[in-house]
Structure formats: structure tokens, C-alpha cells
């Protein structure tokens, strides 16, 4: 129904529909199909961003995060890191424009990257994301240390 319509409203609904479709594929453990559909959503969303017509940046962030989750599950760590960084970049952009209502997703993504970098023994990169997480949410640092380092207060 939305394929072939080039107006901005239809293209925005198309991105949303792709995300829902990909999520359902992921829920059915059809990860390869889901990755492909999330990629389509990212490409369609990118076209809208370039035109300044994307209605909801969270639709892009969702696609990057969900595709990254699948990539991590499949051991495609380099791709996972790229998608996580893309999602973080978009969230940081939203925050800089005062359009991010809740920073918890951004904080969690920084924690995820810090943890991944630590498991890869990339301490400098891990520290960068941990420090950003601390700047965003002081309470989150204590939680992170308890969860990932195994220390008490």
C-alpha cells in the first residue's frame, strides 16, 4: 500500500511499517530477514533525514538498536558497534536540540558499548562511553560498577 508512494507522509509510514515487520520477524527468530528489513528501514529513514522530512528520529534509532541486537547475537561485533554508535549519535543530536524526553535509552546504550569494549579489552573506548554515561546519569555509574565490575559502593 505504501510502496511506490514518494510523498513524505507515505515514506514515514513506510519506515514505521518496516520496523514493525522487522520486529515481528525478530520475535519469530527470523533474524536474517529481520536484519534485512531493519536495513531497509534505515535506508528509507536516511533518505527522509537527508530531505529534513523524517517525522520521528526514534524510528531510525529503533532500527539501529534492533539490528545491532541481532548483530551482537550473531557475533558480528564490528557491525554491532557501528549500529550502536549510530543510535547514540542520533540520540545525542536529539538531546542537543532538547527533543530527548528521557535519557535512559542513551545512558543504556553507552553502558552497552562500555561493556562490549571491556569484553574486547578495549579499555580506552570503554572508558569514553562510561564517562559519558556518568555525565548523563550519576546514579547509573554506581549501578554500572556493581553490575559489570562486581564492586559494592
Amino acid at each position: 500500500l505504501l510502496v511506490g508512494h514518494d510523498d513524505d507522509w507515505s515514506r514515514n509510514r513506510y519506515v514505521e511499517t518496516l520496523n514493525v515487520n522487522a520486529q515481528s520477524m525478530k520475535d519469530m527468530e527470523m533474524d536474517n530477514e529481520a536484519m534485512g528489513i531493519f536495513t531497509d528501514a534505515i535506508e528509507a529513514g536516511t533518505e527522509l533525514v537527508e530531505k529534513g522530512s523524517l517525522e520521528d528520529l526514534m524510528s531510525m534509532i529503533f532500527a539501529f538498536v534492533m539490528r545491532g541486537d541481532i548483530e551482537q547475537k550473531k557475533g558480528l561485533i564490528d557491525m554491532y558497534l557501528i549500529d550502536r554508535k549510530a543510535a547514540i549519535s542520533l540520540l545525542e543530536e536529539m538531546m542537543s536540540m532538547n527533543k530527548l524526553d528521557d535519557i535512559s535509552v542513551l545512558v543504556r546504550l553507552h553502558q552497552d558499548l562500555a561493556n562490549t569494549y571491556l569484553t574486547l579489552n578495549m579499555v580506552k573506548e570503554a572508558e569514553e562511553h562510561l564517562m559519558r554515561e556518568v555525565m548523563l546519569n550519576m546514579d547509573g555509574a554506581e549501578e554500572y560498577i556493581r553490575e559489570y565490575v562486581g564492586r559494592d559502593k
Side-chain angles (χ1 to χ4, degrees):
L1 181 64
L2 297 172
V3 176
H5 294 275
D6 288 332
D7 62 285
D8 292 341
W9 184 89
S10 295
R11 297 300 293 167
N12 275 280
R13 301 302 75 77
Y14 180 62
V15 171
E16 293 168 1
T17 303
L18 287 171
N19 279 334
V20 171
N21 187 12
Q23 177 64 51
S24 67
M25 293 292 164
K26 183 179 182 293
D27 291 346
M28 292 187 293
E29 298 186 15
M30 299 172 69
D31 290 342
N32 291 333
E33 293 84 350
M35 279 181 62
I37 298 168
F38 281 128
T39 298
D40 292 344
I42 291 166
E43 290 171 358
T46 300
E47 290 174 14
L48 288 167
V49 167
E50 289 171 355
K51 290 174 39 179
S53 301
L54 184 66
E55 294 173 4
D56 185 8
L57 205 50
M58 289 303 286
S59 62
M60 289 277 295
I61 294 163
F62 176 80
F64 277 119
V65 169
M66 297 306 291
R67 186 174 73 175
D69 287 349
I70 296 168
E71 292 161 347
Q72 184 181 37
K73 177 180 169 185
K74 292 177 153 292
L76 304 170
I77 300 304
D78 289 340
M79 293 170 65
Y80 160 78
L81 293 172
I82 290 167
D83 281 349
R84 275 298 189 268
K85 288 177 187 178
I88 285 172
S89 177
L90 292 171
L91 285 165
E92 293 278 2
E93 181 180 333
M94 286 180 69
M95 191 171 78
S96 73
M97 297 183 299
N98 293 321
K99 292 184 177 182
L100 186 60
D101 295 329
D102 181 6
I103 65 165
S104 64
V105 173
L106 179 57
V107 168
R108 186 62 194 175
L109 292 180
H110 277 292
Q111 288 175 342
D112 288 349
L113 272 184
N115 184 47
T116 300
Y117 281 129
L118 284 174
T119 62
L120 297 172
N121 291 321
M122 298 173 73
V123 177
K124 182 178 178 181
E125 291 83 355
E127 182 181 16
E128 174 186 325
H129 290 282
L130 181 57
M131 293 307 295
R132 182 64 181 140
E133 183 268 335
V134 168
M135 289 174 60
L136 292 168
N137 180 7
M138 294 301 279
D139 292 332
E142 285 183 359
E143 180 181 316
Y144 181 87
I145 290 169
R146 273 184 264 136
E147 184 174 343
Y148 294 110
V149 182
R151 296 183 188 163
D152 292 328
K153 287 185 184 179

